[in-house]
Structures are given as structure tokens and as C-alpha cells.
Amino acid sequence: MLTILAAIFVFGVLVTVHEFGHFITAKMTGMRVDEFAIGFGPKIYQQKDGETLYSLRAIPLGGYNKIAGMDPDDPVEPNAFNSKPIPARMLVILAGALMNFILPIILFSGIFMVEGRMQLVNEPVLGTVVDEMAAARAGLKAGDRIVTIDGKNVETWTDVVLNLRKAGTEEVTLTAERNGVLQTYKMTPMFDKDAGRPLIGVSPKFSKESLGFFGSIKEGFIYTKNIGLSMVSGLYKIVSGNAPADVAGPIGVAQMAGQVAEKGLLPLMNFVAFLSINLGVINLLPLPALDGGHFVLLLLEALRGKPLGGKAMTNIQMVGVALILALTVFSTFKDITR
């Protein structure tokens, strides 16, 4: 039940925020929005306010805007999407992804306000020791202070890192202090594929740093930017064949949402923020049926001086829908095999 509720919450927030971006900019640019719906399927509740019907539907895993003039077959009307200047239409198209970047900035900023930022304590003191790795097997424990590595004195955590890197996969001898008592430990670092270097399985201590209101907002911007750039880099590696296409579909996301929800509200908010950035990046890809593809068509219209024909637009949309369905089937298959 927790997994189901968490999945409904995550998908509901992401899609609602995305569609709200399209909705509010359409309203701001004078476009007629016939319906703003949260969910799909039969209507549970609806209310009309002005020209827009607001509805809540039975399947809470999505939502949509019905903006007049967005369908290639829609007539050109004064307040329709297809009658507005290209910059206004571009704004409406990009606003969904923009909201998916604004949401994590807000969420991350709130998390930093509550939790602060974990700051590295640059002392040679072990914060954690990973079970079943070299350091743990040798007998080191969290809180131990490293004094020497292979006979060389260390005074900072940076010294610890540099000396361990020099050792590579050769056996190292560490002298550590615990409760005022010095003891010697021998261990052999093991190469870790994910890290790309030999590790003994230790990490430094961290202290919590309060950032304040403006500091938290700044950190929220920086954190969102870094994750977004990391996702773009990851996508490039997948497309170029330098990384496996390890993707998660709706089932995988729902399962992860349930697991994160068990850890508490803040981890769930962090997960929503992460997925929101993901959704924003994916939607900006220049593929048919995605916002990025629609933006490219508007650029093409600006260069040609006229839009593509209705038949061409319909065919492009059909290709886009086919690609999305294929990706959904592929990712769902991956979810099931996992």
C-alpha cells in the first residue's frame, strides 16, 4: 500500500507541476485552455471557471492540458495556440520542462534549510568503515584517527587519500589511535570498478553546516544544476555507447518510490526532485512528441516562414508516440527482468 501511495504521489506531483507550467504560460499569453486535468480516465470531479474546465480523473498517474489550436487539425482562432506569435508558443512549450527544474530548486532549498549541508571534516578520522572491505577486515572502526600510512605521518584527510592512492593495490600499513591507544593494521586495497580506483572501504567524518535562507536557496540552485548536467552527460554516454542503457520504467520508479518513502518525508522529497530534473531533461530532447521536438518544429517554422502541413505534423507526432511507446515497453521489460 505504501508503494502504491508513494507512486501516486510522485507521478501526480511531477506531471501536475509539468502541466501547470504549460497551463499558466498559455493563460499568460492569452491562449484558451479548454481543460486542465489531473489524472486520466473517467472524471471524478470537475468545475468550470471561465473558459477552462478543471477536472480530477480516476487514474492519478498523469494529467494534461487541452489548449485550443495545438492539434494540427484545429482551426486558427484569435486566442488559439496556432494563432499566437512563435515566441509565445515557444514559451508555452518550454514552460513544462522549466517547471520541472524550478520544483527541485524549491525542494532542495527546503531540504538544505531543514537539514543543512554536510561539510567534510578535513581530519584523518574515520567517519564510516564499510563492512566486508579491507579496512573492516583489518579491524579499523569508525572514530579511529589515522596517524601514519606506511610510516608517513598524516595530519589531514587529504593526506590519507593521497597516501592510499600512491599505494594502489599494494599492501599498506596504517597506524591508528583509538581511545588513546595506538595500533597497527595491515590491509590490501581492492580495485573498485564503480569508483575506478583501489579502495579500502573508509570515508571521512562530516559535520552539519547551517546555510540559512539565502544560502539554502543558492545551494538548491547549484545542486539542481549539477544533477542536471550529470544527467545530460549520462545520456550522452548512453547514446554514444560508452554506458549501458540502464533505465527504469513506471514499475521501477514506483518500486523505488515505495522504498524511499519508508525512509521518511525528506528522502521522498529528494527523490521527487531528482525525478523532476530527469523529466525536465528528457522532455527537452529534440524528439517528436516531446517538448524539445515541438520546440524544434517551431524553430523550423520560424526559418521557413510557415508551419509544416497538417499531414506532416500528424506523421511526426505518430513517430514520436511510437518511440515513446517503444521506450516504455523496453523500460518496463527491464523493470520486470530486474
Side-chain angles (χ1 to χ4, degrees), residues 52-303:
T52 305
L53 176 68
Y54 299 89
S55 64
L56 180 65
R57 294 173 177 262
I59 304 173
L61 298 177
Y64 65 92
N65 282 293
K66 186 178 180 182
I67 302 175
M70 287 202 72
D71 192 290
D73 297 326
D74 285 348
V76 178
E77 300 175 319
N79 58 350
F81 178 87
N82 51 18
S83 69
K84 295 297 180 179
I86 289 179
R89 285 183 274 162
M90 287 180 170
L91 174 62
V92 172
I93 291 301
L94 295 179
L98 177 62
M99 286 298 296
N100 283 126
F101 294 122
I102 292 176
L103 175 64
I105 291 173
I106 295 171
L107 292 178
F108 285 141
S109 297
I111 291 172
F112 283 122
M113 287 179 197
V114 174
E115 292 286 286
R117 178 177 60 189
M118 301 307 292
Q119 188 75 17
L120 169 68
V121 177
N122 196 21
E123 298 178 3
V125 179
L126 302 183
T128 57
V129 178
V130 182
D131 291 339
E132 304 301 323
M133 292 191 71
R137 290 197 297 268
L140 285 168
K141 295 182 179 180
D144 289 350
R145 175 179 286 271
I146 307 301
V147 179
T148 66
I149 298 178
D150 286 336
K152 297 179 181 178
N153 291 331
V154 294
E155 297 180 356
T156 66
W157 186 259
T158 303
D159 292 338
V160 174
V161 173
L162 292 176
N163 280 279
L164 288 175
R165 285 184 178 176
K166 288 180 183 178
T169 55
E170 300 294 323
E171 183 182 71
V172 293
T173 301
L174 278 70
T175 301
E177 178 187 352
R178 183 188 302 164
N179 299 325
V181 178
L182 290 177
Q183 189 168 341
T184 299
Y185 304 87
K186 293 181 181 292
M187 65 205 71
T188 302
M190 298 296 293
F191 187 82
D192 185 274
K193 292 182 180 179
D194 294 332
R197 65 180 186 274
L199 300 175
I200 63 171
V202 296
S203 63
K205 288 181 65 178
F206 287 85
S207 63
K208 185 180 291 188
E209 177 189 8
S210 178
L211 296 175
F213 180 77
F214 293 106
S216 297
I217 293 175
K218 179 182 177 181
E219 200 68 18
F221 270 98
I222 294 171
Y223 206 59
T224 300
K225 180 198 72 174
N226 290 341
I227 293 176
L229 292 176
S230 177
M231 288 180 178
V232 171
S233 175
L235 280 173
Y236 175 77
K237 289 179 181 179
I238 291 175
V239 172
S240 61
N242 294 321
D246 191 14
V247 297
I251 296 175
V253 172
Q255 186 179 31
M256 286 186 283
Q259 293 170 347
V260 173
E262 291 178 352
K263 299 178 181 179
L265 181 60
L266 287 182
L268 183 60
M269 293 299 99
N270 192 79
F271 183 66
V272 170
F274 181 84
L275 285 182
S276 188
I277 299 172
N278 199 324
L279 181 60
V281 170
I282 293 296
N283 258 284
L284 290 178
L285 294 177
L287 298 175
L290 295 179
D291 292 341
H294 205 149
F295 183 78
V296 170
L297 291 177
L298 289 174
L299 282 177
L300 184 60
E301 179 181 339
L303 293 173

Side-chain angles (χ1 to χ4, degrees), residues 25-46:
T25 49
K27 287 284 191 179
M28 289 170 57
T29 53
M31 297 178 190
R32 191 182 83 238
V33 182
D34 294 327
E35 185 175 0
F36 177 74
I38 298 176
F40 291 106
K43 295 176 183 176
I44 298 176
Y45 172 81
Q46 64 179 18

